[in-house]
Structures are given as structure tokens and as C-alpha cells.
Amino acid sequence: MKYIGRIIVPVLFFILILPYLGWLGHEERRFSAFAAIYLITILSIAWCLGAIYDNKRKTIALLQDSEGRYGIFSKYSKELVNSFNEVIFQTDDKGKWLYLNPAWKSMSGATVNESLGLHFSKYMDNTSYQDVLRVFAESFHRGNKYFRADIKLNAKKGTSWVEAFVKLIYDDAGKFIGTAGIISEINERKHAEEKLVSLNEHLAITSSKLSTAAQLAAGIAHEVRNPMTAIMGFVKLIKDGGADKQEYYDIIFSEINRIEQVLNELLLLSKPAEAVFLEKDLKESCNHVITLLETNAVLNNIQIHKNYDTEPIFIYFDENQIKQVLINMIKNSIESMPDGGNIFVSIYEKYGEVFVSILDEGEGIPESSLQKVGEPFFTTKSSGTGLGLSVCFKIIEKHGGKVFITSELKKGTKIVCVFPIVQSKEHRGNENVQGLKRHENKI
């Protein structure tokens, strides 16, 4: 009943004061105005207390109903969160896990209990960790409350790619107190992206090869025409009955070999092939490239100087791809010297690594552009695509190498490629000495 307090409490008070009313109604006493006021005041207070009781009872009923609803909502919310395939998380201001839903176990292979209290970086590789720190710092300093990051997760079942949507949490005073967010698995998307990147790289490499072959056509024609002229001359001498025919044959075969070498290098540029990493002599491959480009350089009044000895230096590499890198870099040096000049190609071993240095005397690269060299579609040439060096950098990275570029305007550019060596010269020398000793012992 809605107004039960307003009825019961006044009635109880009235019952309590009935003896007093009876005493006042005695014939020897008179019912005064004061007694009436007192009676009305008591009943009013009783009615107010009844109203307060009604309001309290209503509030308690509402609270009980709200508590019941909250319990049901909390139960279903917990069930809903636990049923998500995505990981819902919360961390403190130090980056330690405070909350993880059960989906964390299927994603990482670690249980929630063994992960809580650990730093989030424990489950990702160093590159992803640095990326997250960088994006977090940018969001924090800009005042952004949200950021997104792709993370390579080191799960017990193996590595997998995940995407994290993170919210930065602040208290009422504006102090950063932690993060919360959702982690979703994106392996399929990442694999599709990698396939697309690989396809684009393959198309870019193929396009660059065909473009290079076309640009070298004049030099190739000149390179083939000279031996052909010599061959035709000596064949004519033999036909006319030249004296020392054996010497003519040697020269003819030498020139034919020269033509074959040049054409093989040209075919190598346009031949699409899967990467095959083998232990080979880098100097030999570099000599092949210089042979291919030398005539083109001479036609532009440029001399290519080789600053290395004949001793081989072995690294694991795909010859086709590394030749493409060397061709692109040396060709860039040639194009940077329209008035001629010199290119110095050096290969040497130092600190257990192989250094390939290409130095030219060209126009140089402005300092503002130097940091962008190697980025896709960035070029300083009016007719360039900006893909050549980008492809080269990708190839070198796949070979475990690094690239360093220095340049000075009007003086030239130096590109240094660093590769891991198979064996050092000292190691090979020691092995040769030990092999010799073992051979002597057998004798």
C-alpha cells in the first residue's frame, strides 16, 4: 500500500494519546485550546513520520529492484565479455596487466592468472614493443585518448599478428592511471598484406629489370658490335688464307665468349626467378655487373674503377637480386654525372662483415632529400619512378644487410652496403693451414 505509513503512524499515535483525551474529558476538567493545538501538532508529526517511512520504504524497494537488475546485468555482461573472441584488457600506468578476459588464453597460450601482473611487453617482439611505445608517446603528448597498433605476438603456439585498440585512462585530476582496450587477431589480414607487398615487390623488380635492360640497349649493342667486327675481320683473313690461323681462332673464340657473357648478363635482368640463396663469391658477381655497365659508362665519358683484389669473399646471397642492386646503384651513379667522371667500386671485409662501397663524382643529393632516399616513389630524377632504390633496400634487408648513404652537393655520393660474411679471411686461412697439416700427417 502506497500510503501505509501515513495511515498507521498517526493511528498509533492517536491510540497512545487516548488515555490523555479521556483524562481531559473528565467532568471536573475542561478541554482547553492548548490541548487541541497539542493534539493537532502530535498528529501532524505522526503524519510526517509516516510520510518519511513511506518514502524510505519506496527508496529501499527501488534499491532492491536496482540491485537485482544490476546483478542480472553484471551476470550477463560477464558472460558476454567471457564469450568474446577478442581479448579485453586493462593495464596500470606501468603497463602491467590488471585484467584479461578468458580469450587471452586461446590467443597467447598463457593463462590469465599467470599473465596478470606481468608487463605487456613480455608477449611481443622488440620491434612491436618499440612501435607501441612510439605510438603511445605520440598519443600521450598530443592529448589523444585513443591509438591503434599492429603487434607481433609471441604466443606459446607460435608468433601471430594482432591489432590493439587502446584507450588511455586518466583520473579526475587528469593524471594518467593506465589503459584499457581490445586485442583482435589479424593473421589472415597480415598474410594477405604480405602477399600483396611481395607481389608488388616482384612486379617492381621485374619492371626495374626490363627498364634497365632497355636503357642499357645502346651500350649492349656497342659491346656486341665490336667483337662481331673483330670476328668478321679474322674470318675474312682465314678465308683469304691467313698465315697463323690458330691465333685467329683463339681471338675469334675469345670474342665469342665476350659476346656470350654480355648477353647472359642481359638475359639475367629480364628473367623472372625465385630467390635462391647460395654461398658465392661477391666479387665475381660484381665483376659481371661492371662488365655489363662498362660500355654504357664509357659512352658517357665515365670510368669505373675496381678497388679490390682478386681474393674471393663469400656471402650467402641470391645472385640475380644482388646483381640487380649493383646495377641500379652503379646506373644511378652514371646518370648523376652527365659531364663524365669516375666511379669507384670497393669490396672489402672488416669486423666480420662485407662492405660494398660505390662512390661517384656526381651532383650529390641535397641534405633535405637524403633521409627520404629509398622511400617508395621518392626520386630526384624528372623521369624516375622512385622504385629502383626502394626495391634495392628491400633486397638488401632480406639478405640481412644494411645501407648507408652519404652525399655532398657538387662532389658526389657514396653508398655503402654491409652484408654478413660466411667466413672471415683469417678463419679460411686457418682452415687451409689445418687442412694442409692433416694432409701432411696422412702422407
Side-chain angles (χ1 to χ4, degrees):
M1 192 173 176
K2 189 174 180 182
Y3 300 108
I4 189 169
R6 293 176 176 85
I7 296 171
I8 292 176
V9 175
V11 168
L12 288 174
F13 268 82
F14 185 76
I15 292 171
L16 289 173
I17 64 173
L18 275 176
Y20 176 71
L21 291 174
W23 180 78
L24 287 175
H26 196 272
E27 58 183 10
E28 295 179 358
R29 299 174 182 84
R30 297 175 61 185
F31 191 79
S32 64
F34 175 77
I37 294 171
Y38 175 75
L39 180 62
I40 292 170
T41 302
I42 290 297
L43 290 175
S44 298
I45 294 173
W47 190 88
C48 290
L49 289 173
I52 292 171
Y53 170 78
D54 286 338
N55 290 334
K56 291 292 184 183
R57 193 167 59 85
K58 181 180 178 182
T59 302
I60 291 170
L62 289 173
L63 286 173
Q64 288 175 340
D65 182 63
S66 176
E67 185 178 359
R69 290 175 181 272
Y70 175 77
I72 295 171
F73 175 76
S74 178
K75 177 186 175 182
Y76 284 106
S77 295
K78 188 175 181 180
E79 290 179 359
L80 184 64
V81 168
N82 290 344
S83 68
F84 283 165
N85 292 325
E86 289 79 13
V87 172
I88 298 174
F89 70 89
Q90 184 179 355
T91 71
D92 62 11
D93 60 331
K94 303 297 182 184
K96 294 180 180 179
W97 300 117
L98 293 179
Y99 172 80
L100 291 162
N101 68 332
W104 172 251
K105 188 176 188 305
S106 61
M107 183 177 287
S108 69
T111 65
V112 172
N113 288 335
E114 68 183 358
S115 300
L116 292 177
L118 297 178
H119 197 270
F120 73 88
S121 62
K122 177 177 173 59
Y123 296 97
M124 65 180 69
D125 68 354
N126 186 59
T127 302
S128 294
Y129 177 53
Q130 296 300 327
D131 288 342
V132 171
L133 287 183
R134 177 179 54 77
V135 178
F136 167 78
E138 289 176 357
S139 300
F140 184 80
H141 291 302
R142 290 177 181 174
N144 298 336
K145 292 186 177 180
Y146 300 90
F147 70 85
R148 188 199 69 83
D150 289 348
I151 298 169
K152 197 171 186 180
L153 199 68
N154 291 329
K156 287 186 177 180
K157 61 182 179 180
T159 58
S160 65
W161 280 100
V162 298
E163 181 181 44
F165 289 92
V166 186
K167 181 183 187 305
L168 279 61
I169 303 174
Y170 300 87
D171 62 14
D172 294 336
K175 181 184 177 183
F176 173 71
I177 58 174
T179 64
I182 299 174
I183 301 175
S184 308
E185 199 170 82
I186 55 169
N187 281 323
E188 291 185 5
R189 193 190 84 190
K190 273 292 180 182
H191 291 157
E193 287 177 359
E194 288 172 359
K195 285 182 181 179
L196 183 61
V197 169
S198 178
L199 178 62
N200 287 338
E201 285 181 4
H202 177 71
L203 292 174
I205 290 172
T206 304
S207 174
S208 180
K209 286 180 178 181
L210 295 174
S211 174
T212 302
Q215 291 178 22
L216 295 175
I220 298 294
H222 188 273
E223 189 69 24
V224 172
R225 186 175 59 189
N226 285 344
M228 286 298 296
T229 303
I231 290 170
M232 289 177 64
F234 284 109
V235 168
K236 191 172 184 303
L237 285 175
I238 293 170
K239 182 181 177 182
D240 293 342
D244 193 355
K245 294 181 181 180
Q246 184 58 46
E247 184 181 354
Y248 295 163
Y249 290 138
D250 292 340
I251 294 173
I252 288 171
F253 282 115
S254 173
E255 294 299 323
I256 290 173
N257 287 335
R258 171 71 175 170
I259 293 172
E260 184 182 16
Q261 184 182 12
V262 171
L263 293 179
N264 283 340
E265 293 299 329
L266 181 62
L267 288 173
L268 189 63
L269 286 176
S270 58
K271 181 183 177 183
E274 294 294 326
V276 179
F277 287 75
L278 298 172
E279 180 182 340
K280 303 190 77 171
D281 179 15
L282 181 60
K283 291 182 178 179
E284 183 180 352
S285 298
C286 189
N287 283 332
H288 291 170
V289 170
I290 291 174
T291 298
L292 183 63
L293 293 169
E294 216 160 18
T295 303
N296 193 268
V298 170
L299 291 175
N300 288 277
N301 195 28
I302 294 169
Q303 296 294 320
I304 300 178
H305 306 275
K306 296 184 289 187
N307 292 336
Y308 50 82
D309 54 31
T310 56
E311 184 180 352
I313 290 183
F314 293 94
I315 67 170
Y316 280 108
F317 67 101
D318 177 82
E319 186 174 26
N320 191 14
Q321 291 187 357
I322 292 300
K323 282 184 176 180
Q324 180 64 28
V325 169
L326 294 172
I327 287 171
N328 270 291
M329 291 183 174
I330 295 175
K331 185 166 68 69
N332 283 344
S333 294
I334 292 173
E335 292 172 354
S336 72
M337 295 185 288
D339 299 324
N342 296 285
I343 298 173
F344 302 92
V345 180
S346 305
I347 302 177
Y348 56 92
E349 180 186 334
K350 192 175 182 181
Y351 306 127
E353 294 178 311
V354 175
F355 293 75
V356 180
S357 169
I358 300 171
L359 173 65
D360 63 52
E361 298 174 343
E363 295 295 319
I365 304 170
E367 189 175 348
S368 58
S369 302
L370 199 57
Q371 299 298 324
K372 298 179 182 178
V373 172
E375 292 182 6
F377 306 109
F378 174 79
T379 179
T380 56
K381 303 175 190 175
S382 57
S383 60
T385 63
L387 289 173
L389 280 180
S390 175
V391 170
C392 290
F393 283 21
K394 286 286 185 183
I395 291 173
I396 293 169
E397 184 181 339
K398 286 182 179 178
H399 284 74
K402 297 167 285 187
V403 185
F404 302 93
I405 302 178
T406 56
S407 186
E408 193 173 347
L409 287 176
K410 304 299 180 183
K411 290 191 176 180
T413 301
K414 183 178 183 180
I415 299 180
V416 179
C417 307
V418 185
F419 298 97
I421 196 169
V422 174
Q423 289 181 343
S424 65
K425 287 188 288 187
E426 291 79 10
H427 189 192
R428 288 198 299 271
N430 291 337
E431 281 195 345
N432 291 337
V433 171
Q434 290 171 5
L436 222 63
K437 287 181 179 178
R438 285 196 297 268
H439 181 68
E440 289 174 354
N441 291 335
K442 288 181 182 180
I443 294 174

